[in-house]
Amino acid sequence: MDPYKYRPSSAYNSAHFTTNTGAPVWNNNASLTVGSRGPILLEDYHLVEKLAQFDRERIPERVVHARGASAKGFFEVTHDVSHLTCADFLRAPGVQTPVIVRFSTVIHERGSPETLRDPRGFAVKFYTREGNFDMVGNNFPVFFVRDGMKFPDMVHALKPNPRTHIQENWRIMDFFSHHPESLHMFTFLLDDIGIPLNYRHMEGFGVHTFTLVNRAGKCSYVKFHWKPTCGVKSLLEEQAVIVGGSNHSHATQDLQDSIAAGNYPEWKLFIQTMEIKNENNYDFDPLDVTKTWPEDLFPLQPVGRLVLNKNIDNFFAENEQLAFCPALVVPGVYYTDDKLLQTRIFSYADTQRHRLGPNYLLLPANAPKCAHHNNHHEGFMNFTHRDEEVNYFPSRFDPCRHAERVPIPSHPLGGRREKVMIEKENNFAQPGARFRSWPAERQERFIARVVDALSDPRVTHEIRSIWLSYWSQADRMLGQKIATKLNVKANM
């Protein structure tokens, strides 16, 4: 072995995936879990290395969600949900909690136009009396992939070509041809709602399934939905060209101007809940982020309203330094074993520590608005004034004690260590049903966007055939129409 031969040069890449130290990676698609659906193990070194490496790829701009706009306001409870959760900020109708919200595009750079077809981030930070609760979601209720192991590769495929810095459809079609679970997300991204008119006319979703826990310790699965009171409005391609050509910051300006004029954006918060004991009774996995819960089985229940009535004071301090993490929950709200959520719990905080420093939670926009105390001290940019002599726990010289115990899910876990996909993939039923729910003209616009993506000259016959097979399995007519426009035979 020549120790100086192989690096740094991609000319000597191995034929198989490895870790940074050269250890072979035999499964680069699935995280190591307890059983097929259990929580992810921290000992999955490859996953942790992959996510940690990915989180440090850009500095100082965010890797994703770089282009964003923020505003401040309040959340007010309008309906009693105390039977579902012991969360203090949801304790009774009329209770108000200050919030800051950041809207964003996902893939493109900080200075990119806000009229590009792209998912939108919808992140809400609740400054509760029990600490901060971050509801970090998107404007679509589903996502491209189910397992965070795939997330860095997914973003790489959606980002510009590293050689040319041009976003290209052949890369996107190639990557997602390996992941039919993405079909449902594409029925949102390539739909008419793929380019929101602005942030005020945009829905928001928690995307993941979380757990609500009440005072008695009873747990329920929950999905969060934000519905704008002014309705959902979007831009078609021709309109987006005109709007983006005149103002590439049109959504940021609309948010700023609307609040300044007293036309405060408002959303209603709804939830869907599910009895955990019934989670195996359906043809989909309720923890699968590529699926929605049918509203006829799980009706939307009103909870409260979100009102944005104050513009931020400083873009850098309250937008660029504003940091979210889905790990930030409060008593009464907890995680689930959703594989994508489990990886985000690690990755988001890791990203912020890299981008903003280990003490990013001391920055005003991120710091809790309630009294807090711990022994995390020193480190880069720690500006907290401290005059204590005791910085350890416990101590007979310091009266600090444990907080009151709060209930969390406590179901037993068991299973073998294994890297596997979830059993109920069912990748095609919901995308097909969504397509069939649209009027004919909306279907035709969707088909045109799919055809445009598959018409990239570098999309091979094999990749095109795979996509035709996928769309045909979702809906036979849809596959036939795409094949006709591509002048190829549908592969049923």
Side-chain angles (χ1 to χ4, degrees), residues 61 110 151 162 206 242 252 277 426:
E61 182 177 288
R110 189 168 62 187
F151 188 79
I242 296 172
T252 296
K277 65 182 180 181
N426 201 354

Side-chain angles (χ1 to χ4, degrees), residues 154-174:
M154 180 204 77
V155 174
H156 287 170
L158 290 166
K159 286 278 191 181
N161 184 321
R163 185 176 68 84
T164 63
H165 201 66
I166 298 172
Q167 188 184 38
E168 295 168 327
N169 279 329
W170 68 267
R171 290 164 41 82
I172 299 170
M173 294 294 98
D174 174 32

Side-chain angles (χ1 to χ4, degrees), residues 283-302:
D283 64 356
F284 64 94
D285 189 325
L287 307 187
D288 181 354
V289 292
T290 70
K291 302 293 187 293
T292 55
W293 293 1
E295 292 184 15
D296 57 337
L297 298 177
F298 308 98
L300 296 178
Q301 306 171 49

Side-chain angles (χ1 to χ4, degrees), residues 232-249:
V232 176
K233 296 182 181 180
S234 306
L235 296 169
L236 297 181
E237 284 81 353
E238 299 80 4
Q239 298 168 314
V241 169
I242 296 172
V243 172
S246 61
N247 182 359
H248 84 301
S249 301

